[in-house]
Amino acid sequence: MKTVWQMVKVFLLFTGCTILFYYSLVWFNREYEYYHRYDEPEGSAVKVSTIEHTPPDWLNRLLFFYRDGE
């Protein structure tokens, strides 16, 4: 009888922790669901990259691949 009671306690503890973990994930999801990560920056923001208009030739691209591993 003692082992059955210990099994029930472990099962209830596991179930309680699982439910707590699940609802904490749901809470975090609701908290950050409408968080606008991709809004335009406000103030004096500076663009940090430029678009290269001329495509690189294949030799420079190959050397870039060997040098940087991309």
Side-chain angles (χ1 to χ4, degrees):
M1 190 65 173
K2 188 176 182 179
T3 57
V4 173
W5 175 245
Q6 287 179 347
M7 285 175 37
V8 168
K9 286 193 314 187
V10 169
F11 176 75
L12 290 175
L13 180 66
F14 176 75
T15 304
C17 288
T18 302
I19 290 171
L20 180 66
F21 180 70
Y22 173 76
Y23 281 108
S24 65
L25 287 179
V26 169
W27 179 74
F28 277 117
N29 186 31
R30 286 185 188 158
E31 185 72 26
Y32 290 107
E33 187 174 10
Y34 298 110
Y35 182 70
H36 301 288
R37 294 178 291 198
Y38 304 113
D39 287 347
E40 290 290 327
E42 298 175 2
S44 59
V46 177
K47 189 172 184 175
V48 295
S49 66
T50 60
I51 299 173
E52 187 175 331
H53 295 292
T54 58
D57 60 335
W58 67 273
L59 181 60
N60 284 340
R61 183 67 186 156
L62 184 64
L63 292 175
F64 178 75
F65 174 76
Y66 287 134
R67 185 180 64 233
D68 293 337
E70 293 183 4

